[in-house]
Amino acid sequence: METILIKALQLILSLSILVIIHEFGHFLFARLFKIRVEKFYLFFNPWFSLFKYKPKNSDTEYGIGWLPLGGYVKISGMIDESMDKEQMALPPQPWEFRSKPAWQRLLVMVGGVLFNFILAIIIFSMMLFVWGDEYLPLKNVKDGMVFSETVKRNGGFQDKDILVSADGKELVLGRGVLDMNTFMHFIDAKTVTIVRNGKQMELTLPESFADSVIASKQVAYEYWSAPVVDSVSENSEAKRIGLIRGDSITALDSQSITSQLGIQKYVTRISNKLGDNEKHTLTITFYRNGEVQTVSAAIDTSGVIGFTSSTKMSDIFSKKNMQTDHYGFFESFPAGINNGVATLKGYVAQIRFVFSKEGVKNLSGFAGIGNMFPAQWNWYAFWSMTAFLSIVLAFMNILPIPALDGGHIMFLLYEAITKRQPNEKFMEYAQVGGMLFLLLLLLVANGNDIMRIFFK
């Protein structure tokens, strides 16, 4: 329960910062062009508000709503989520949005997206200044990777291949804060450079490689870990059957095993087929002191044997493998811009998979986003996620969907090109249609979260 609460608090604080900054972008440009802003709200407030305050001699009411699905600024003379038809039926006033030139209205609508991207750059820059950029070149992982069956079949990879570069660009874990690009560089590459059995070589990937990896829903690669017992948990099945440190597992139920991940996958596949109170007798073959031995373990739906691998993550992420780039205050800003652009490119590259059958199934709602935050409060992780979500919010809002900023921008560009405004009735219908589409997307994403919780 404590873990859920910590993740929820981080999510709420992060989204609150992003919403306030986004809406402030709209607010600032509106006030700059002397457009009246009637409301500035964090969260939505249908029927009532948790807090509201209107300063003396101000046209703007500031408040906090009870529905934490975003926020809004209500700008006079604009068809938005408020659907204020009465105001729009009156003659245009000088202080209204609709009375201003198209270029001013365009800047008002771009303001939210612009401020979210600027926020991400500032966060990235300050993180680099305070913590530096620590990353792991994957070529330093001397035991290599274990790959999914799809990656091995379609790309020609083998377990324990060491990843070096993709299309000549070094593959690293950690650079760019959230490391969105490493995976995309890998699956989108035409050629990947690897080291296999001490020799460097190139693999040419087919054009369908990325689509096949995404459709498989399998983790493309993970660090290889030895199928060798390091420690055994007390009161576990491994303890009962007599496994000890140093036992090297070679097969499960006569099927060859080459990594700890292979053990996990096989046992999970068996346990997922079991019903309540059912058990599977698992035959484990291993080497001990140069001799082959066999024991039988009882596996239930938990899929737990009870031992850890001799390969330690602390060894992989040791100081000798890691590299850190340090930045001065002024140096951090160009690097922060690079991180922001790289994160945006990585996200845009992935978004194409959303518009597929498998992509829709992988959509995540608030629970999925919340799970991306750590179980313990960590400011580095918090700001990393906030910067990433700021990029996501900026990109999603610029999409040409009515009810989003991008929808308004699309209509304003139409007006700038044709020199005439779209029909107000059409704008109202488009706004309603866009809101219904976003609501449907919200239901699908959060429905996916519920399905994962109860049917994982």
Side-chain angles (χ1 to χ4, degrees):
M1 186 63 185
E2 182 181 354
T3 297
I4 295 175
L5 181 61
I6 290 173
K7 288 186 175 185
L9 287 174
Q10 290 179 92
L11 175 63
I12 292 171
L13 177 58
S14 178
L15 292 182
S16 297
I17 293 171
L18 299 181
V19 169
I20 289 172
I21 294 298
H22 181 89
E23 300 304 336
F24 181 72
H26 294 309
F27 176 87
L28 184 66
F29 278 102
R31 297 306 299 132
L32 182 66
F33 299 130
K34 295 181 170 50
I35 301 171
R36 183 175 295 175
V37 179
E38 299 173 16
K39 292 184 178 181
F40 188 135
Y41 264 74
L42 171 64
F43 307 148
F44 292 108
N45 62 323
W47 304 297
F48 68 94
S49 305
L50 296 179
F51 166 82
K52 60 182 179 181
Y53 171 69
K54 188 172 184 179
K56 189 176 181 180
N57 300 324
S58 173
D59 296 317
T60 307
E61 175 183 294
Y62 302 89
I64 301 176
W66 60 270
L67 189 60
L69 296 179
Y72 71 98
V73 288
K74 187 179 185 308
I75 298 175
S76 293
M78 176 181 170
I79 298 174
D80 57 13
E81 58 272 4
S82 69
M83 298 303 292
D84 190 349
K85 296 181 181 180
E86 293 183 7
Q87 184 183 74
M88 298 303 294
L90 298 174
Q93 301 298 319
W95 60 80
E96 289 187 337
F97 179 82
R98 55 181 167 168
S99 300
K100 301 299 179 179
W103 68 270
Q104 292 186 3
R105 284 179 280 143
L106 183 63
L107 286 175
V108 171
M109 297 317 306
V110 170
V113 169
L114 177 64
F115 269 52
N116 274 133
F117 192 70
I118 291 173
L119 173 65
I121 289 174
I122 291 173
I123 293 174
F124 282 137
S125 300
M126 291 301 95
M127 289 181 68
L128 292 171
F129 173 64
V130 173
W131 287 292
D133 189 7
E134 188 177 36
Y135 57 94
L136 173 69
L138 295 187
K139 66 183 179 182
N140 290 350
V141 183
K142 299 307 179 185
D143 285 330
M145 299 290 181
V146 55
F147 299 88
S148 72
E149 291 304 315
T150 301
V151 169
K152 287 191 284 191
R153 182 177 62 252
N154 294 351
F157 292 88
Q158 296 179 11
D159 288 342
K160 302 201 75 173
D161 283 347
I162 299 171
L163 296 175
V164 178
S165 62
D167 288 339
K169 185 168 185 177
E170 184 181 37
L171 290 171
V172 302
L173 179 70
R175 177 172 284 165
V177 184
L178 290 175
D179 186 47
M180 291 197 63
N181 292 316
T182 297
F183 172 69
M184 294 308 300
H185 284 158
F186 172 75
I187 66 172
D188 272 340
K190 294 179 180 176
T191 61
V192 173
T193 303
I194 62 169
V195 173
R196 179 180 295 169
N197 300 324
K199 296 182 179 179
Q200 184 164 301
M201 57 186 294
E202 281 192 354
L203 296 179
T204 301
L205 305 184
E207 290 185 5
S208 61
F209 184 70
D211 291 325
S212 67
V213 172
I214 295 297
S216 72
K217 293 187 179 179
Q218 299 170 340
V219 176
Y221 54 81
E222 294 186 43
Y223 303 108
W224 183 87
S225 54
V228 177
V229 177
D230 177 64
S231 62
V232 177
S233 304
E234 292 296 328
N235 303 318
S236 67
E237 188 64 9
K239 186 78 170 179
R240 186 190 70 79
I241 63 179
L243 290 179
I244 61 174
R245 183 173 184 173
D247 288 345
S248 179
I249 296 172
T250 59
L252 298 179
D253 291 339
S254 300
Q255 295 196 24
S256 177
I257 291 295
T258 59
S259 69
Q260 178 72 8
L261 184 63
I263 296 174
Q264 293 172 358
K265 286 183 175 180
Y266 184 83
V267 173
T268 299
R269 187 164 66 248
I270 293 297
S271 64
N272 285 341
K273 295 178 181 179
L274 298 175
D276 294 338
N277 302 319
E278 271 192 290
K279 291 190 176 183
H280 170 80
T281 301
L282 181 71
T283 302
I284 303 176
T285 304
F286 61 94
Y287 276 104
R288 179 184 292 174
N289 299 325
E291 296 182 359
V292 177
Q293 299 191 30
T294 301
V295 293
S296 295
I299 301 300
D300 58 20
T301 54
S302 68
V304 174
I305 301 177
F307 69 88
T308 61
S309 168
S310 60
T311 302
K312 300 288 191 302
M313 287 298 106
S314 58
D315 293 334
I316 294 174
F317 290 93
S318 63
K319 287 187 177 180
K320 67 177 183 179
N321 286 345
M322 300 296 292
Q323 293 186 25
T324 304
D325 295 336
H326 296 284
Y327 296 87
F329 181 78
F330 293 106
E331 292 175 315
S332 68
F333 286 96
I337 292 173
N338 289 337
N339 277 0
V341 172
T343 302
L344 178 60
K345 286 182 177 178
Y347 184 75
V348 172
Q350 290 189 68
I351 203 69
R352 72 180 189 269
F353 296 111
V354 171
F355 303 101
S356 66
K357 183 179 178 181
E358 296 301 327
V360 171
K361 293 179 181 178
N362 290 327
L363 282 174
S364 292
F366 293 111
I369 298 172
N371 276 328
M372 296 172 70
F373 288 91
Q376 295 181 328
W377 197 285
N378 181 297
W379 282 113
Y380 182 89
F382 172 80
W383 288 118
S384 295
M385 275 303 303
T386 301
F388 167 63
L389 292 175
S390 195
I391 293 287
V392 172
L393 183 61
F395 176 76
M396 295 303 292
N397 262 283
I398 206 67
L399 293 177
I401 300 172
L404 292 179
D405 296 342
H408 292 287
I409 292 170
M410 176 178 63
F411 292 130
L412 283 168
L413 290 175
Y414 167 82
E415 179 183 342
I417 295 170
T418 64
K419 306 301 182 184
R420 58 179 181 175
Q421 293 187 6
N423 181 274
E424 284 190 6
K425 186 61 68 175
F426 170 78
M427 294 277 285
E428 289 177 10
Y429 288 141
Q431 184 75 14
V432 171
M435 290 169 65
L436 290 174
F437 172 76
L438 294 176
L439 180 60
L440 176 62
L441 201 62
L442 192 66
L443 290 173
V444 170
N446 286 281
N448 285 346
D449 285 346
I450 294 171
M451 294 294 288
R452 293 187 193 105
I453 293 171
F454 291 102
F455 301 100
K456 60 183 177 180

